Amino acid sequence: MSGILALHTVLQTSVTVSTLPIALPPELFGEQILRAVLTVETDSIRIKTDGGNPSSGDGHLVRVGQRIVIEGPKDIGNFRMVRATTDATVTIGLEAQ
């Protein structure tokens, strides 16, 4: 079938999101990552995908149980997250071709 992009998960891990904005950990990019799937597990976070840093009051609010899907190396590289109130656990799955 042409036109179908087959992706496979190359890594699944969890990170703690705290008071300082963080990007997706660079050690996770051993392969060309095309999609990142994140699930907010324990408390709300705020995110930005333009390379700027979110704060507890600025950025898109993502609540517990919500999923974030980021596609493309540029948007994945620009992604930043920070806790909204208290430290949060976020599960990350990275997919490559």
Side-chain angles (χ1 to χ4, degrees):
M1 294 182 164
S2 73
I4 295 177
L5 182 63
L7 298 178
H8 65 280
T9 300
V10 295
L11 184 106
Q12 187 163 341
T13 190
S14 293
V15 296
T16 298
V17 181
S18 194
T19 57
L20 296 176
I22 61 171
L24 292 175
E27 65 272 12
L28 304 180
F29 295 100
E31 296 186 42
Q32 181 65 29
I33 303 302
L34 299 177
R35 182 183 301 147
V37 180
L38 299 92
T39 304
V40 180
E41 302 288 347
T42 60
D43 204 348
S44 297
I45 63 171
R46 291 207 178 254
I47 66 166
K48 285 191 172 185
T49 57
D50 63 358
N53 287 326
S55 68
S56 61
D58 181 40
H60 295 283
L61 181 64
V62 185
R63 300 182 193 283
V64 173
Q66 291 185 309
R67 222 172 70 165
I68 306 161
V69 178
I70 308 160
E71 294 185 330
K74 181 177 179 184
D75 285 341
I76 292 169
N78 283 339
F79 178 80
R80 304 285 184 276
M81 58 187 160
V82 72
R83 73 181 196 183
T85 53
T86 62
D87 286 2
T89 300
V90 174
T91 299
I92 302 168
L94 299 177
E95 301 174 355
Q97 187 172 4

